[in-house]
Amino acid sequence: MKNWGLMAAPLGIVLFGMSVLYLKMNPGGSKLTAEVLQGPLNYVPWLAAVILLALFIQAVIIKRREDTFLFPIVLTLCSVGIVEIARLKPALLVRQLQWLCVAMIVMILVLRFWGRIRRMLGYPYLLGVACIFLLGLPLLFGTEIGGSKNWLVLGPISIQPSEFGKILIVFFLAAYLSDHRRVLTLPAHRIFLLQLPPLRFIAPLICIWGMAVLMFVVEKDLGSALLFFGMAVLMTYMATGSKSYVFLALAFIGVAAAASYAAFGHVRVRFDIWLNPWQDPNGMAYQVVQSLFAFGTGGIWGTGFGYGHPGFIPEVHTDFIFAAIAEEMGLIATMMLMTCYVLFFWRGIKTALSCRKEKEVLLAAGCCSLMLLQAFIIIAGVTKFLPLTGITLPFISYGGSSMVSSFVLLGLLISLSKEQEHG
Amino acid sequence: MPTMAVILKGVRVVLEYGMLLWLLWFALKLTKRMFREVRKESIRQRRPETSQNEAVISVVDASEENLAGRRFAFSEQISIGRGEDNDIMIPEGFVSHHHAVIYQHGSQYVIEDLGSVNHTYVNDQVLQGRAYIKSGDIVRIGMVALRFER
């Protein structure tokens, strides 16, 4: 099945959205002059580049008989993101399109050099060390932007190493866990109802868990900490099938959360906002409260694209883009976006199950659950289901590092789907 | 030009709903296609026909490449072990040369452990001597899990 038809939807969304914005700028339908066309002329070349790259990638995927569902899903998510950014922060639109181009080129490289990348799975400890190194960089050279010290500024561009660290951690966990699966499932110690293997076998896992907490504390990056920790737990469970680890991790994070609640002001603030945002709706809880208002205003069909007031929410183009979508396009659009994420996950798991080697099964499952977990954490935060943790919505939010790393994960997943047979 | 403005406004509203409909159409189409593919696959993977007196052993979990996912059909007897002369050969150190055997007894099947060192496990319980085995039981030998089906 070729699925070229599915590619029509992202194109349609972008065209419709851009024309709505254009009509909003010129409600009278004035003559086309150079001045009016100034805005579109800036972004159209980049948009064309993105579309051409997308068509090229889909053609490559079809030719190699890889999974043709994943890429259209991601394109749809991206198109919603582009349209929203054009509406919320027109100044950042060209930047976002440029990043999208870069991300797609990186994805092509991943598809091309997959044969070499897969060999990395043979060196789990190097991967682990590289991951720790990458996460440690911001501690030494980091700059604080928006309350978290997790940015590296390299001249004109600033990148978030933790976005790339998450790819390495999936690789590390896949390689490490499949090497040690047998040992990790051996029940050696019995503590209450939990069966745990000897300490030296779970030491690397505890190391990862400890690092997540370290980031949580030093860099004030709650979202990434939760993501890393969640990934470690999920992948351990997927590899061993032993629920003892899940309970152990829950106990661990419970203790860590309680300790940081007692020790750090910013954690306490986040938690109190979550419990009762109406204590201080114009101060600390302003962001969450505005986001909730946005959801409420949107209703089922939304206020109409361009008619809402999502500008009241701080950081609306990155972390809170979901609230803006909910306000202007309503419950329907948010449900459909969540459906897209879930279908992406389903497709990823299907890929994982059809892989032959255990490492690749774990890698594929890790890639798609990382995406779903990230989407879940931020959607839950925006809707006040969980305490808010700043993290990007994959493929939709504005952000270069996040875009590139998400496309790398997509490239890995699509390369892994090659092994399975198409009927 | 009030009419022009009204028309443009109408176009804008249509485009706004159009965006939503694109999204809806995409999600519905995607779901439909994916379910169709799953259905096709499940038809293709329908189990091979087994006659009345035939049982199938399928490998559920194995790290060996040439064992993973395989199915063995037999009617009277099947032997499992490390030796080359077995019907199911498991090349692992934990497996004895002649580890276990499954054979027909009347209308049922019996699994017998042939005095193996590391035991045979049926549904995670150590097999003592021999026992009747029923469809759906999981037999674990060494690091390999096998499912018995009739």
Side-chain angles (χ1 to χ4, degrees), chain A residues 375-406:
Chain A
F376 170 74
I377 289 174
I378 185 60
I379 291 176
V382 169
T383 52
K384 207 174 80 63
F385 179 67
L386 289 180
L388 176 68
T389 50
I391 198 170
T392 55
L393 190 57
F395 299 117
I396 298 185
S397 290
Y398 172 76
S401 312
S402 145
M403 196 56 102
V404 172
S405 72
S406 303

Side-chain angles (χ1 to χ4, degrees), chain A residues 27, chain B residues 1-13:
Chain B
M1 291 196 299
T3 49
M4 187 65 184
V6 169
I7 290 171
L8 280 178
K9 180 121 190 175
V11 169
R12 203 175 138 189
V13 171

Side-chain angles (χ1 to χ4, degrees), chain A residues 2 36 66 89 103 115 126 163 231 242 252 259 350 397:
Chain A
K2 290 194 170 172
V36 174
E66 287 161 342
K89 296 269 154 111
L126 274 182
E163 292 284 348
M231 269 329 283
S242 146
F252 185 83
K350 208 164 160 292
S397 290

Side-chain angles (χ1 to χ4, degrees), chain A residues 87-108:
Chain A
R87 186 250 176 281
L88 296 168
K89 296 269 154 111
L92 293 176
L93 176 62
V94 174
R95 203 73 200 254
Q96 173 78 350
L97 287 170
Q98 284 167 344
W99 274 117
L100 203 54
C101 280
V102 172
M104 282 186 178
I105 290 168
V106 171
M107 183 184 159
I108 292 173

Side-chain angles (χ1 to χ4, degrees), chain A residues 78-390:
Chain A
C78 285
S79 67
V80 173
I82 290 171
V83 167
E84 273 300 325
I85 285 161
R87 186 250 176 281
L88 296 168
K89 296 269 154 111
L92 293 176
L93 176 62
V94 174
R95 203 73 200 254
Q96 173 78 350
L97 287 170
Q98 284 167 344
W99 274 117
L100 203 54
C101 280
V102 172
M104 282 186 178
I105 290 168
V106 171
M107 183 184 159
I108 292 173
L109 293 179
V110 170
L111 291 177
R112 174 71 186 74
F113 294 107
W114 167 239
R116 295 187 190 182
I117 294 171
R118 110 200 294 175
R119 272 188 244 151
M120 273 167 44
L121 281 173
Y123 307 96
Y125 293 103
L126 274 182
L127 287 168
V129 170
C131 182
I132 292 176
F133 175 71
L134 207 55
L135 294 178
L137 276 180
L139 289 182
L140 299 176
F141 313 105
T143 315
E144 190 165 324
I145 299 177
S148 336
K149 194 184 174 202
N150 57 351
W151 292 85
L152 279 185
V153 179
L154 303 170
I157 51 170
S158 47
I159 56 171
Q160 244 177 328
S162 62
E163 292 284 348
F164 299 98
K166 73 188 182 188
I167 302 172
L168 282 180
I169 203 168
V170 171
F171 264 94
F172 164 72
L173 286 170
Y176 177 80
L177 288 170
S178 68
D179 279 350
H180 296 77
R181 188 172 72 107
R182 312 277 188 217
V183 183
L184 288 172
T185 43
L186 289 177
H189 298 297
R190 253 174 170 277
I191 306 167
F192 300 120
L193 295 169
L194 306 179
Q195 296 188 327
L196 296 175
L199 186 66
R200 66 200 156 100
F201 295 129
I202 51 173
L205 290 174
I206 290 177
C207 195
I208 291 288
W209 294 357
M211 267 185 21
V213 174
L214 194 74
M215 287 205 308
F216 183 63
V217 170
V218 183
E219 298 175 13
K220 300 183 189 170
D221 189 358
L222 304 179
S224 302
L226 198 56
L227 191 63
F228 273 68
F229 189 76
M231 269 329 283
V233 176
L234 271 179
M235 299 258 313
T236 316
Y237 178 61
M238 287 193 289
T240 60
S242 146
K243 292 188 190 71
S244 302
Y245 290 104
V246 179
F247 288 114
L248 185 71
L250 284 179
F252 185 83
I253 198 150
V255 171
S260 50
Y261 181 82
F264 301 103
H266 61 277
V267 178
R268 207 173 307 144
V269 166
R270 291 277 174 101
F271 197 77
D272 290 342
I273 287 171
W274 175 59
L275 280 184
N276 188 4
W278 304 109
Q279 266 174 351
D280 190 10
N282 288 318
M284 293 295 192
Y286 183 71
Q287 209 174 14
V288 171
V289 165
Q290 290 300 325
S291 155
L292 292 178
F293 279 144
F295 275 91
T297 317
I300 290 178
W301 284 96
T303 56
F305 185 63
Y307 282 95
H309 299 92
F312 285 128
I313 312 169
E315 298 296 321
V316 70
H317 58 295
T318 58
D319 295 354
F320 275 79
I321 200 156
F322 198 70
I325 294 170
E327 178 170 4
E328 301 206 322
M329 300 196 230
L331 178 72
I332 307 246
T334 52
M335 295 292 276
M336 290 306 121
L337 288 180
M338 287 197 273
T339 313
C340 284
Y341 281 116
V342 172
L343 291 178
F344 182 89
F345 176 70
W346 178 20
R347 210 56 211 176
I349 290 294
K350 208 164 160 292
T351 303
L353 290 178
S354 64
C355 285
R356 285 284 165 79
K357 290 186 185 143
E358 201 175 326
K359 283 181 182 176
E360 293 174 2
V361 172
L362 276 176
L363 184 62
C367 286
C368 61
S369 38
L370 176 65
M371 212 69 88
L372 191 70
L373 185 66
Q374 191 175 345
F376 170 74
I377 289 174
I378 185 60
I379 291 176
V382 169
T383 52
K384 207 174 80 63
F385 179 67
L386 289 180
L388 176 68
T389 50

Side-chain angles (χ1 to χ4, degrees), chain A residues 3 76 182 305 307 347, chain B residues 12 16 26-27 33 37 63:
Chain A
N3 289 326
T76 306
R182 312 277 188 217
F305 185 63
Y307 282 95
R347 210 56 211 176
Chain B
R12 203 175 138 189
E16 275 161 17
F26 178 78
R33 284 203 186 179
E37 201 164 271
S63 51

Side-chain angles (χ1 to χ4, degrees), chain A residues 3 6 9 12-13 16-17 20 24 29 69 72-73 76 83 182 301 305 307 329 336 343 346-347 350, chain B residues 8-9 12 15-20 22-27 29-31 33-34 37-38 41 63 143:
Chain A
N3 289 326
L6 290 177
I13 290 171
F16 279 33
V20 169
K24 198 187 172 199
F69 282 102
I73 300 178
T76 306
V83 167
R182 312 277 188 217
W301 284 96
F305 185 63
Y307 282 95
M329 300 196 230
M336 290 306 121
L343 291 178
W346 178 20
R347 210 56 211 176
K350 208 164 160 292
Chain B
L8 280 178
K9 180 121 190 175
R12 203 175 138 189
L15 286 174
E16 275 161 17
Y17 279 104
M19 257 171 81
L20 261 188
W22 269 119
L23 206 56
L24 262 175
W25 174 84
F26 178 78
K29 190 99 182 163
L30 190 67
T31 320
R33 284 203 186 179
M34 283 170 63
E37 201 164 271
V38 168
E41 226 156 81
S63 51
M143 298 292 185

